[in-house]
Amino acid sequence: MNGYKKFIAVTVLLSVVSLFIEQSDITAVLGISGGVVLLVGQVIDYVLMACVIGETVYDIVREKYKAHYFKAHWASFTFTVVFTLLFLYSKFIYHALAASSIAALAVLLRNFFTVLRMYSRMKRLKGYVERLTVNPAQTILFSFAGVILAGTLLLMMGFTTVNGKGLPFLGALFTATSCVCVTGLTVVDTAASFTFWGHLVLIVLIQIGGLGLMLLSYFVIFVIRRRVSLADKLMLSYMLSDDDTASIYVSMVRIVLTTAVIEAVGSVLLFIGFVPLMGFSLKTAWYAVFHSVSAFCNAGFALFDGNLEQFVGSPYLLFVLALLIITGGIGFACITNLRAVFDSAVHRQRGDAREKLTLNTKVVLTGTLILLVAGTLLYYILEYDNSMRELPITKQYLNAFFQSVTFRTAGFNSVSLGSLRPATYLVFSIFMFIGAASGSTAGGTKVNTITVLGAALYSYLKGQRRFRIGRAEISGDKVFQASVLFIANCLVMFAGIIALTMLEGGDIARIVFEVCSALGTAGVTAGLTPDLCALSKVLLILCMFWGRVGGLTVLSSASTDSSEEHIRWPQADISIG
């Protein structure tokens, strides 16, 4: 990056910092006095003002024909003049008219111009950013990070919270990350802390996180009939794990429309269940939409006090939510294949080939069923006389099933999780580490990955040099990718557990549970998250980001092109085992 681009990047950063300081109670985050924060904010504002004026003056001086500059760049010059006047007004006249609507309007306009300036400068950095995002994995990383930062800024605005002050920076960053990474861990009370607009911000972030910003962006481009380049098709192919770029549009549209239909149906079903409790109202409809999106995206955010504990005895609502969670967790490829098989069975003509379940669908459905049954039985055995001892046996099995569903991916809870047995925390940490299916809205190491590793282990025990599942052979590349992902996730998990133990101490079972919940984007908590120190919260933020984006994506984004790919080196003899 040359000096001018560095200058632009610095001014963009200063603009963001200035807005953060003005729109949030940053003293609560940093633990420093308000006077120091005010001084820092004033210095940043003046430096930013100097940058804006200095850039304009530099452009005028550099221009040989001054009249040509004002003719060609009149908009930019006018922008600088208006921004300067608003800045001077807000600094020297605002305090005298602090209670007036004119003063508030001036500050609002100044911030609006600041955002416009940020946007124009970021457009100048477009070429540099594009060079950074040639790698599809890097593009995905930057898109998720960008949405998280945008969500953080919004949640720091006063209109999103009940107290009118917005969340502090770290709280906003944690909440935005939890939404975009569809996790569900929170450091504030979701039901009580946010206004309607705050809840709207949360659900938009959850929807973007569940589907992915790039997928939604390309869908919009497709809808407005703009052409998409080959590079864009390759990007979509990488995101959807679909090698057929010719049918990538069909896959993309099918995913978005399927999501819309499932969430709409879920909203109607939840609305029916909420009406007896909340009455027939727009608020009830909004709650139904929010929880439908949250459940299908496996996010686990709820608008009720105590999450879903008040529905501990409601089979209808728990089954609807569980069905939404399971549907979102099996992945779009599996849903598409199941729909094709169903359509083939219903509309099949004599002599037509019947659609069959793919191996991926069989693996996902079988693995999901095994984990659900095992989780239900294990939770019942471990907790029937502890967290569920007050419930009749039918409701014990109902809530054991629901917790088995939500422990792996979603983060809802119908019973209190603060007093589970240590064995329960450890057992279900394994379930969260496994997670749901590849290509789904959920996180974790994924059922597909564990199945491939299990097949490789079985083939090794049988003395077979080739890996297979049933009558299908698995390529060595798939086994290699699964092994890398599993090892990387294990390393991140152990590093997180060790670091959190050093920072917080206490019950190791709860710490393992909390780290695995963040890494697997499950979102259930043993009650530790709200009371963690700032550094521990940052640690969980990184775990959530890793778990949602995916270890392979993170590693791929950090990898570099190798010029030695086709060089064969002498084989080494290393002892194994």
Side-chain angles (χ1 to χ4, degrees):
M1 197 188 311
N2 59 33
Y4 183 62
K5 289 180 178 177
K6 289 180 180 178
F7 170 78
I8 294 175
V10 168
T11 54
V12 170
L13 179 62
L14 288 175
S15 302
V16 174
V17 173
S18 176
L19 287 174
F20 274 169
I21 290 178
E22 185 165 321
Q23 295 294 334
S24 66
D25 185 13
I26 199 168
T27 58
V29 180
L30 301 179
I32 55 181
S33 67
V36 174
V37 173
L38 179 62
L39 177 61
V40 172
Q42 293 284 349
V43 171
I44 290 176
D45 282 347
Y46 280 107
V47 171
L48 182 61
M49 188 69 248
C51 290
V52 172
I53 296 176
E55 182 185 9
T56 302
V57 172
Y58 175 76
D59 289 340
I60 294 174
V61 172
R62 190 178 58 176
E63 181 66 50
K64 184 176 181 179
Y65 301 101
K66 310 303 181 187
H68 178 266
Y69 170 84
F70 290 104
K71 182 178 180 180
H73 303 285
W74 63 270
S76 178
F77 181 77
T78 303
F79 178 94
T80 302
V81 172
V82 173
F83 182 83
T84 303
L85 292 175
L86 288 171
F87 175 85
L88 295 174
Y89 180 88
S90 65
K91 291 299 179 186
F92 298 104
I93 305 178
Y94 173 77
H95 295 290
L97 302 172
S100 71
S101 58
I102 298 177
L105 179 62
V107 174
L108 179 64
L109 287 174
R110 194 199 72 180
N111 289 343
F112 175 72
F113 274 78
T114 300
V115 173
L116 285 181
R117 195 71 177 180
M118 288 165 53
Y119 175 72
S120 65
R121 293 178 181 279
M122 290 176 71
K123 287 186 68 176
R124 297 188 189 185
L125 291 172
K126 181 180 178 182
Y128 176 71
V129 173
E130 285 179 347
R131 288 194 296 272
L132 280 178
T133 57
V134 170
N135 186 333
Q138 291 180 348
T139 303
I140 293 174
L141 275 180
F142 285 125
S143 68
F144 271 94
V147 174
I148 289 172
L149 289 177
T152 300
L153 179 59
L154 285 172
L155 293 176
M156 293 174 69
M157 301 295 180
F159 69 87
T160 62
T161 57
V162 174
N163 61 14
K165 298 180 179 179
L167 293 181
F169 172 70
L170 186 57
L173 178 62
F174 192 99
T175 304
T177 304
S178 186
C179 287
V180 176
C181 297
V182 290
T183 304
L185 289 175
T186 58
V187 292
V188 295
D189 188 339
T190 305
S193 300
F194 297 102
T195 62
F196 166 77
W197 299 109
H199 290 150
L200 182 61
V201 170
L202 295 184
I203 206 62
V204 170
L205 293 176
I206 289 170
Q207 188 71 84
I208 293 174
L211 287 178
L213 175 65
M214 303 304 296
L215 176 62
L216 292 175
S217 300
Y218 286 128
F219 177 75
V220 172
I221 291 174
F222 173 78
V223 168
I224 62 178
R225 303 296 181 185
R226 289 187 58 184
R227 296 182 62 184
V228 178
S229 66
L230 178 60
D232 293 332
K233 291 182 180 180
L234 293 175
M235 170 67 70
L236 278 171
S237 178
Y238 178 86
M239 292 172 54
L240 303 179
S241 299
D242 189 349
D243 296 330
D244 186 7
T245 56
S247 62
I248 204 71
Y249 288 140
V250 177
S251 300
M252 176 183 62
V253 173
R254 185 180 291 125
I255 287 174
V256 176
L257 294 182
T258 298
T259 299
V261 170
I262 293 175
E263 290 176 351
V265 173
S267 299
V268 173
L269 295 177
L270 290 177
F271 180 78
I272 295 172
F274 287 156
V275 165
L277 175 69
M278 304 176 62
F280 194 93
S281 65
L282 288 176
K283 181 180 179 181
T284 306
W286 166 242
Y287 271 50
V289 171
F290 185 97
H291 290 86
S292 178
V293 175
S294 181
F296 179 74
C297 291
N298 282 225
F301 282 86
L303 300 183
F304 299 100
D305 292 331
N307 204 275
L308 300 179
E309 291 183 24
Q310 61 180 295
F311 303 115
V312 65
S314 176
Y316 175 80
L317 285 172
L318 294 184
F319 272 119
V320 170
L321 289 167
L323 185 60
L324 286 168
I325 294 168
I326 294 171
T327 306
I330 62 177
F332 295 107
C334 185
I335 295 173
T336 301
N337 184 228
L338 287 173
R339 178 184 174 184
V341 171
F342 177 78
D343 290 343
S344 176
V346 172
H347 303 293
R348 181 167 64 97
Q349 301 292 331
R350 181 174 297 180
D352 291 345
R354 183 170 181 174
E355 193 76 26
K356 297 181 179 180
L357 293 176
T358 63
L359 176 62
N360 182 73
T361 301
K362 293 177 182 178
V363 166
V364 170
L365 294 180
T366 303
T368 300
L369 180 61
I370 291 173
L371 290 172
L372 288 178
V373 173
T376 301
L377 294 177
L378 285 171
Y379 189 84
Y380 176 78
I381 293 170
L382 292 169
E383 293 295 326
Y384 76 95
D385 60 346
N386 185 38
S387 62
M388 300 190 298
R389 64 179 178 274
E390 303 295 333
L391 301 176
I393 188 169
T394 54
K395 292 182 180 179
Q396 286 183 348
Y397 278 111
L398 168 66
N399 287 274
F401 165 73
F402 184 75
Q403 290 306 145
S404 176
V405 172
T406 190
F407 264 142
R408 286 196 304 122
T409 58
F412 291 115
N413 62 280
S414 59
V415 296
S416 177
L417 304 180
S419 58
L420 302 182
R421 288 192 168 97
T424 308
Y425 288 131
L426 294 176
V427 166
F428 283 95
S429 294
I430 299 174
F431 281 72
M432 291 188 290
F433 180 81
I434 295 173
S438 299
S440 69
T441 58
T445 306
K446 304 297 172 51
V447 173
N448 316 59
T449 304
I450 300 300
T451 302
V452 169
L453 292 176
L457 177 61
Y458 178 79
S459 298
Y460 179 80
L461 294 176
K462 297 287 289 184
Q464 300 170 351
R465 298 182 64 85
R466 297 182 182 275
F467 313 113
R468 63 184 180 87
I469 299 177
R471 297 182 179 180
E473 184 174 325
I474 310 170
S475 69
D477 287 341
K478 291 293 183 183
V479 176
F480 177 74
Q481 290 177 357
S483 301
V484 170
L485 177 59
F486 180 79
I487 293 171
N489 282 356
C490 284
L491 291 175
V492 172
M493 178 185 68
F494 287 128
I497 292 170
I498 293 170
L500 207 62
T501 303
M502 293 173 62
L503 291 168
E504 303 293 335
D507 188 351
I508 186 64
R510 289 171 177 263
I511 290 176
V512 171
F513 189 80
E514 216 77 7
V515 172
C516 289
S517 178
L519 186 62
T521 68
V524 286
T525 178
L528 297 182
T529 299
D531 300 323
L532 295 177
C533 68
L535 194 55
S536 297
K537 291 176 182 177
V538 171
L539 179 67
L540 290 187
I541 288 173
L542 295 176
C543 286
M544 288 188 288
F545 189 78
W546 177 284
R548 179 63 186 101
V549 174
L552 287 180
T553 300
V554 176
L555 294 175
S556 298
S557 67
S559 64
T560 57
D561 294 333
S562 175
S563 58
E564 302 179 350
E565 182 179 357
H566 302 293
I567 298 177
R568 300 296 299 271
W569 297 93
Q571 291 189 358
D573 185 13
I574 300 178
S575 300
I576 302 295

Coordinates of all heavy atoms in Angstrom, one line a residue, residues 273-274 277 291 304 307-315 317-318 321 398-399 414:
G273 N -48.8 -21.1 18.3 CA -48.4 -21.5 19.6 C -48.3 -20.3 20.6 O -48.5 -20.5 21.8
F274 N -47.9 -19.2 20.1 CA -47.7 -18.0 21.0 C -49.0 -17.3 21.3 O -49.1 -16.6 22.3 CB -46.8 -17.0 20.3 CG -45.3 -17.4 20.3 CD1 -44.4 -16.9 19.4 CD2 -44.9 -18.4 21.2 CE1 -43.1 -17.3 19.4 CE2 -43.6 -18.8 21.2 CZ -42.7 -18.3 20.3
L277 N -50.6 -17.5 24.7 CA -49.8 -16.9 25.8 C -49.8 -15.4 25.6 O -49.9 -14.6 26.7 CB -48.4 -17.4 25.7 CG -47.4 -16.8 26.6 CD1 -47.7 -17.2 28.1 CD2 -45.9 -17.2 26.3
H291 N -38.2 -15.8 16.4 CA -37.8 -17.1 16.9 C -37.7 -18.2 15.8 O -36.9 -19.1 15.9 CB -38.8 -17.6 18.0 CG -38.6 -16.9 19.3 ND1 -39.3 -15.7 19.5 CD2 -37.9 -17.1 20.4 CE1 -39.0 -15.2 20.7 NE2 -38.1 -16.0 21.3
F304 N -37.7 -14.1 25.3 CA -38.4 -14.3 26.6 C -37.4 -14.4 27.7 O -36.3 -14.8 27.5 CB -39.2 -15.6 26.5 CG -40.2 -15.7 25.5 CD1 -40.0 -16.3 24.3 CD2 -41.5 -15.1 25.7 CE1 -41.0 -16.4 23.3 CE2 -42.5 -15.2 24.7 CZ -42.2 -15.8 23.5
N307 N -34.8 -17.4 28.4 CA -34.8 -18.1 27.2 C -36.1 -18.8 26.9 O -37.2 -18.1 26.8 CB -33.6 -19.1 27.1 CG -33.2 -19.4 25.7 OD1 -33.7 -20.3 25.1 ND2 -32.2 -18.7 25.2
L308 N -36.2 -20.1 26.9 CA -37.5 -20.8 26.7 C -37.9 -21.7 27.9 O -38.7 -22.6 27.7 CB -37.3 -21.8 25.4 CG -36.9 -21.1 24.1 CD1 -36.8 -22.2 23.0 CD2 -38.0 -20.1 23.7
E309 N -37.4 -21.3 29.0 CA -37.8 -22.1 30.2 C -39.2 -22.1 30.6 O -39.8 -23.0 31.2 CB -36.9 -21.6 31.4 CG -35.4 -21.9 31.3 CD -34.7 -21.5 32.5 OE1 -35.3 -21.4 33.6 OE2 -33.4 -21.2 32.4
Q310 N -40.0 -21.0 30.2 CA -41.4 -21.0 30.5 C -42.2 -21.9 29.6 O -43.4 -22.2 29.8 CB -41.9 -19.6 30.3 CG -41.8 -19.0 28.9 CD -42.4 -17.6 28.9 OE1 -43.5 -17.3 29.1 NE2 -41.5 -16.6 28.6
F311 N -41.6 -22.5 28.5 CA -42.2 -23.5 27.7 C -41.8 -24.9 28.0 O -41.9 -25.8 27.1 CB -41.9 -23.1 26.2 CG -42.3 -21.8 25.8 CD1 -41.4 -20.8 25.4 CD2 -43.7 -21.4 25.8 CE1 -41.7 -19.5 25.1 CE2 -44.0 -20.1 25.5 CZ -43.1 -19.2 25.1
V312 N -41.3 -25.1 29.2 CA -40.8 -26.4 29.6 C -41.9 -27.5 29.4 O -41.6 -28.7 29.2 CB -40.3 -26.4 31.0 CG1 -41.4 -26.1 32.0 CG2 -39.6 -27.7 31.4
G313 N -43.2 -27.1 29.5 CA -44.3 -28.1 29.5 C -45.1 -27.9 28.2 O -46.3 -28.4 28.2
S314 N -44.5 -27.3 27.1 CA -45.3 -27.1 25.9 C -44.8 -27.9 24.8 O -43.8 -27.5 24.1 CB -45.2 -25.6 25.5 OG -45.8 -25.3 24.3
P315 N -45.3 -29.1 24.6 CA -44.8 -30.0 23.5 C -44.9 -29.4 22.1 O -44.0 -29.6 21.3 CB -45.7 -31.3 23.6 CG -46.3 -31.2 25.0 CD -46.4 -29.7 25.3
L317 N -44.8 -26.2 21.0 CA -43.8 -25.2 20.7 C -42.4 -25.8 20.7 O -41.6 -25.5 19.8 CB -43.8 -24.0 21.7 CG -45.0 -23.1 21.6 CD1 -45.1 -22.1 22.8 CD2 -44.9 -22.3 20.3
L318 N -42.1 -26.7 21.6 CA -40.7 -27.3 21.6 C -40.5 -28.1 20.4 O -39.4 -28.1 19.8 CB -40.5 -28.1 22.9 CG -40.5 -27.3 24.2 CD1 -40.2 -28.2 25.4 CD2 -39.5 -26.2 24.2
L321 N -39.9 -25.8 17.3 CA -38.6 -25.2 17.4 C -37.5 -26.2 17.1 O -36.6 -26.0 16.3 CB -38.4 -24.5 18.7 CG -39.1 -23.3 19.0 CD1 -39.1 -22.9 20.5 CD2 -38.6 -22.1 18.2
L398 N -39.5 -35.2 27.0 CA -39.7 -34.1 26.0 C -38.5 -33.1 26.1 O -38.0 -32.8 25.0 CB -41.0 -33.4 26.3 CG -41.2 -32.0 25.6 CD1 -41.4 -32.3 24.1 CD2 -42.5 -31.3 26.2
N399 N -38.2 -32.7 27.3 CA -37.1 -31.7 27.4 C -35.7 -32.4 27.2 O -34.8 -31.7 26.8 CB -37.2 -31.1 28.8 CG -38.4 -30.1 28.9 OD1 -38.2 -28.9 28.5 ND2 -39.5 -30.6 29.3
S414 N -34.7 -25.1 27.5 CA -36.0 -25.1 28.1 C -35.9 -25.5 29.6 O -36.9 -25.4 30.3 CB -36.9 -26.2 27.4 OG -36.3 -27.5 27.5

